[in-house]
Amino acid sequence: QVQLVESGGGLVQPGGSLRLSCAASGSIFSINVVAWYRQAPGKERELVAHIRTRGETLYADSVVGRFTISRDNTKNTFYLQMNSLKPEDTAAYYCNAQITAATMRYLDAWGQGTLVTVSS
């Protein structure tokens, strides 16, 4: 069984910073692409950023220059550093990972979500 657990969300003032973490656990053979998504109230879930195994990254236009995705493959943990936060960044943030389990089964795993609120 594979599990993703997010942490690091909370309330922050505009212009502030937060770092989200996502820890993968279980019988894992390898973790491929890792991504962060977000869903604001009344809106569809959208891709924020993703990072491939070797570190290639992709960002949504709305977060370029403000957010940084990273991964620590030795710890099976992934991060989203969010700087210069804006009220429109308020959303539930979800990590997603394409995982090959120890059984060689392919999994599309999701975390439970962590809420980020940007407000003065």
Side-chain angles (χ1 to χ4, degrees):
Q1 185 176 358
V2 173
Q3 189 175 18
L4 299 182
V5 178
E6 297 126 337
S7 60
L11 173 64
V12 63
Q13 293 186 342
S17 298
L18 283 175
R19 188 175 84 153
L20 306 183
S21 300
C22 176
S25 62
S27 300
I28 296 170
F29 176 76
S30 66
I31 300 176
N32 307 309
V33 178
V34 176
W36 287 93
Y37 287 78
R38 67 185 180 186
Q39 187 167 19
K43 295 187 176 181
E44 293 186 355
R45 189 172 295 189
E46 63 175 356
L47 175 68
V48 176
H50 79 218
I51 183 169
R52 298 189 178 277
T53 305
R54 296 188 178 185
E56 300 96 327
T57 58
L58 176 73
Y59 295 92
D61 289 344
S62 59
V63 306
V64 169
R66 301 188 298 123
F67 290 12
T68 303
I69 189 171
S70 61
R71 60 192 292 167
D72 184 338
N73 293 327
T74 65
K75 298 180 180 179
N76 284 345
T77 301
F78 322 102
Y79 307 95
L80 185 68
Q81 177 66 43
M82 304 185 295
N83 298 328
S84 302
L85 283 161
K86 304 175 181 179
E88 51 264 42
D89 295 317
T90 295
Y93 284 72
Y94 299 87
C95 65
N96 167 256
Q98 312 300 314
I99 294 173
T100 302
T103 60
M104 294 298 127
R105 180 182 176 189
Y106 176 81
L107 303 173
D108 181 25
W110 289 86
Q112 80 285 359
T114 186
L115 184 62
V116 172
T117 303
V118 184
S119 175
S120 55

